[in-house]
Amino acid sequence: MEDLIWFAGVATCIKLLLIPSYRSTDFEVHRHWLALTSSLPLSHWYSDETSPWTLDYPPLFAYFERFLSFFAHFIDPKIVDLHKGLNYTADSVIYFQRLSVIVSDLFLYYGVYRLSRNLGFWRSKMLLVLIVWSPALFIVDHMHFQYNGFLLGVLLISLSFLEEEKDLMGGFVFAILLCLKHLFAVAAPVYFVYLLRHYCRGGFVKGCGRFFMMGVAVGMVFIVAFGPFLYYGQIQQVISRMFPFGRGLCHAYWAPNFWVFYIILDKVIAFMLRKLGFNIKAPLASFTGGLVGDSSPFAVLPQVTPLVTAVSVVVAMSPCLIKAWKEPRREHITRWIAYAYTCGFLFGWHVHEKASLHFVIPLAVVAVQSMEDARHFFLLSIVSCYSMFPLLFEAKEYPIKVLLLLLHSLLMWAGFTSQFSKVKASKTSTLTHKECVTKDSRQRKYSDTAKEGVMVVGWVGMSYLLGLLVVELWGVILQPYILGDRLPFLPLMLVSIYCSLGIMYSWLWQLKWIIKYT
C-alpha cells in the first residue's frame, strides 16, 4: 500500500500539471451531461437535444454524472445550467472536471492494489509502473479528457475477484461495468462461458443454484440501472442512443485495426479499375476526408454492416471461448479477457483509437508473469500509446506526449531487463528446467529468459519501433516541407496503417499463446 500511495502521488502531481493542457470536445460532452442530469427529470435524459452532445452512455454512468453535478453546483452553478452553460470554459469548470477525473482514478488504484498485493516485491512495483504511470492514460484522460481510468479500474476489480476465485463478485462487478459503459460488453461472451463452467459447477442441483445466484446478482444491477427508464417507457430511446449504428464503420480518425487494410484495399482496387477504364464512382462519405457516413462507403468491396463486424468479433474470439469452456482456469482469465477486447478492437464497428486501452491495461497484469509476455507488452504498449498521438495535435502538447512515452519506455526496458535477468540467474542456479516450469504456474512452458540476461525485443521488433520514428518524422517535418498543403490526410493515415500492423501482430501473438499454452 505504501508503494501504491507513492506511485499514485507522483502520478497525481503530473495530472495536476496537465490541467491547463489541451481539451477535446469530450470535455464539453461531459460538462453537458452534468447539466443535463442535474437540470432535467430522469425521464428526459435520453431524449434531450439541447446540445449535439446527447447522452449515449448507459444509465449508471448517467447516475455518476448526476452525483458529480451535486458538487459542481456548489463550485459554480453555471456549470450545470442546461442553456447558459453551453461551451462554458471558465476556470471553475476546467478545474472541477479535471479534478473529478483525478479523484475517480481511485478505482484504478484499488484495482491495481487488489491485483498486485499477492505478487512478489518486484512484480507488484512493475505493475504499478505499467498501469499507474501509463502514458496512454495520461494522454487520453488527463489531456484529451475522459474517464477511462475509472472504468478500467472497475474492470481490474472484477478481474481481481475472478483471479481469487470469487466468481460471484467478479460477475457482479462486471455487470456494473457494463451499465457504466456498454462497449466493455465485448468480453461478455468470455465472462459467460468462464463463469458457467467455473462457477456453475458441482453437479446439476448445485450448478443450477449457482446459476440462479449469478443471474440474480447481475439482474439486480441491470434493474437498478435500466428499471427507471423502463418504468417511464424510455428504454427504446436509451438503447437507440447507446447503439448509434448510423455513425459508420470507422471513426473520423481511423483506429488502427483490421478495417484500415480493408479500406485501403478498396481504394487501391477502385483506383486500378478507373485506370483500366471502368466507371467506378467515389462513395459519398470519404474515409480519407475524415468524414463519417451513415453506412460503409466502399467503392468496390462488399459493404460492411454491424452484423458482419459482430460475427467477425465472435469468430476471432472463438478459440478463447473454446479454451474457457474446456478448461476454465482462473490464472488465464485476465489473458482471455484482454484477448477478447483485442478482437473487439480489431474487428468491431466504429471503434475509437482509445479503445486499445481495454486490452493494453489488462495485458499489463500479464506482462509481469514472464519475459515473453514482457517483450510482447513492451512493443504493444508503445504502439498503442503512439497511435493516440494525433489526439493531441496542438504544438504546445507535442513535447509532453513525446516525453511521457519515452520515459515510460525507458522505465519498462530497465524494469523488465533487471528483473528477468535476476530471475534467470536465480532459477538457473537453484532449479532444474522441469522445476522452473512446475514451481510457478504463472511462468508458462515457453522460454522465460533473454540472451545474457538482457531484455531483447529482437531485430524485427526494434526495426518496427524505429519505423514509428520514421512515420513521425514524415508527418511533422518532411510532409510539410515536401508536399505542403497537399494530401493533409496522409500523416493520420500512415499512423493508422503502421500502428495497425503492430496491433495485428499482438492479436496473432495472443492467439498463438492461447491455442498453444492454455
Side-chain angles (χ1 to χ4, degrees), residues 212-370:
F212 176 76
M213 290 174 60
M214 182 65 71
V216 170
V218 172
M220 287 301 297
V221 175
F222 279 85
I223 289 173
V224 170
F226 291 91
F229 300 94
L230 184 64
Y231 174 79
Y232 287 114
Q234 291 286 307
I235 196 66
Q236 185 175 355
Q237 180 66 21
V238 173
I239 299 301
S240 65
R241 284 284 181 85
M242 288 171 53
F243 298 97
F245 292 120
R247 287 184 176 179
L249 174 64
C250 294
H251 190 243
Y253 160 45
W254 303 351
N257 62 11
F258 170 80
W259 301 117
V260 168
F261 302 111
Y262 193 81
I263 295 168
I264 296 300
L265 179 61
D266 178 78
K267 291 191 171 296
V268 170
I269 295 175
F271 175 79
M272 294 176 64
L273 289 177
R274 289 192 193 100
K275 289 294 184 181
L276 293 174
F278 290 91
N279 183 21
I280 304 296
K281 294 183 179 180
L284 294 178
S286 171
F287 284 114
T288 54
L291 303 177
V292 177
D294 292 332
S295 61
S296 301
F298 295 101
V300 179
L301 296 178
Q303 302 298 317
V304 179
T305 65
L307 179 60
V308 170
T309 60
V311 172
S312 301
V313 171
V314 174
V315 170
M317 201 188 303
S318 58
C320 177
L321 298 176
I322 293 171
K323 290 289 186 176
W325 177 268
K326 287 184 175 180
E327 193 175 1
R329 298 173 60 180
R330 65 181 177 86
E331 60 265 30
H332 296 320
I333 186 60
T334 300
R335 191 186 296 270
W336 288 337
I337 296 300
Y339 175 75
Y341 285 127
T342 307
C343 294
F345 182 85
L346 279 177
F347 304 106
W349 178 267
H350 197 74
V351 174
H352 288 237
E353 66 288 334
K354 300 179 286 290
S356 63
L357 287 168
H358 293 185
F359 56 89
V360 171
I361 295 300
L363 282 174
V365 181
V366 177
V368 299
Q369 296 178 13
S370 73

